[in-house]
Amino acid sequence: MNPNDAAIGRTLIPAAKIRDRIAGLAHRISDDYAGGGLLALTVLRGGFVFGADLIRQMDPEIAVQVDFLRASSYGDRTTSAGRVDVAHPPPVEDRDVLIVEDIVDTGRTLESLQERIRNHGARSLRTVTLLDKEGRADRRCTLDYVGFRIPDLFVVGYGLDYAQMYRHLPDIHVLDHGPRPEESP
Ligand code: 5GP
């Protein structure tokens, strides 16, 4: 699909709802890691807004460190690429790792990331995703914390892009296919 053929559609999850849900997730995660620490590995680029909001809602007593994983993305397409490259994976040996993901669709990206982290000697591994697309029964990845379960729609905003656009939107929107209104005949 050409980037010009897409437009922002209806709001699926408004910013206030995202904020409330993240507070709940951060609370649960803080309980689970109470008395210890964690290395939050945010999956770039889509997870950067979620990761930044999530860690700032965590209990200040927890020793939180941050790093980033760079996985391959969809490019300008809206179907899964099915391949995952990780550039410069950070050291995770003997660390309690929390992968911070924006959205899980087929689960292939996450499955591959989880395998790498486990193989590199992490002491423990959990995963939080803001969005989980419903109806994917054949996944082999593990999700420990889920923000919202959503239908199988392509969404943008709150860090999520289409052709590198729309990451800055505070709400999560459905992407509409078809010409933008101003381009209609
Ligand atoms: P999976 O490997 O689970 O099929 O795909 C996960 C990755 O695909 C996500 O990290 C994200 O980069 C991208 N992705 C999957 N669904 C969507 C979507 O609805 N919107 C956007 N912007 N990216 C998506």
Side-chain angles (χ1 to χ4, degrees), residues 10 15 30 69 75 95 116-117 129 144 156 165 167:
R10 68 186 164 90
S30 297
L69 290 170
R95 311 295 300 276
R116 274 162 210 244
I117 304 278
T129 184
D144 301 281
V156 295
M165 295 188 299
R167 293 191 196 276

Side-chain angles (χ1 to χ4, degrees), residues 74 80 101-109 133 153-155 160-161:
Y74 277 25
S80 179
E101 179 63 291
D102 51 356
I103 184 164
V104 180
D105 183 4
T106 65
R108 277 186 227 136
T109 307
K133 281 196 188 174
L153 298 164
F154 195 84
V155 292
L160 289 150
D161 77 309

Side-chain angles (χ1 to χ4, degrees), residues 84-165:
V84 178
D85 303 316
V86 182
H88 311 296
V92 295
E93 209 176 326
D94 295 328
R95 311 295 300 276
D96 294 307
V97 174
L98 177 71
I99 295 179
V100 180
E101 179 63 291
D102 51 356
I103 184 164
V104 180
D105 183 4
T106 65
R108 277 186 227 136
T109 307
L110 193 55
E111 187 188 329
S112 163
L113 293 176
Q114 289 177 337
E115 195 183 305
R116 274 162 210 244
I117 304 278
R118 287 201 188 95
N119 289 345
H120 283 83
R123 182 166 49 208
S124 70
L125 175 60
R126 288 189 179 134
T127 299
V128 56
T129 184
L130 180 63
L131 304 173
D132 173 18
K133 281 196 188 174
E134 287 166 343
R136 299 285 193 179
D138 52 344
R139 284 191 195 144
R140 279 177 295 182
C141 60
T142 317
L143 295 179
D144 301 281
Y145 312 97
V146 173
F148 300 94
R149 294 214 155 78
I150 64 165
D152 188 12
L153 298 164
F154 195 84
V155 292
V156 295
Y158 197 75
L160 289 150
D161 77 309
Y162 172 64
Q164 299 306 328
M165 295 188 299

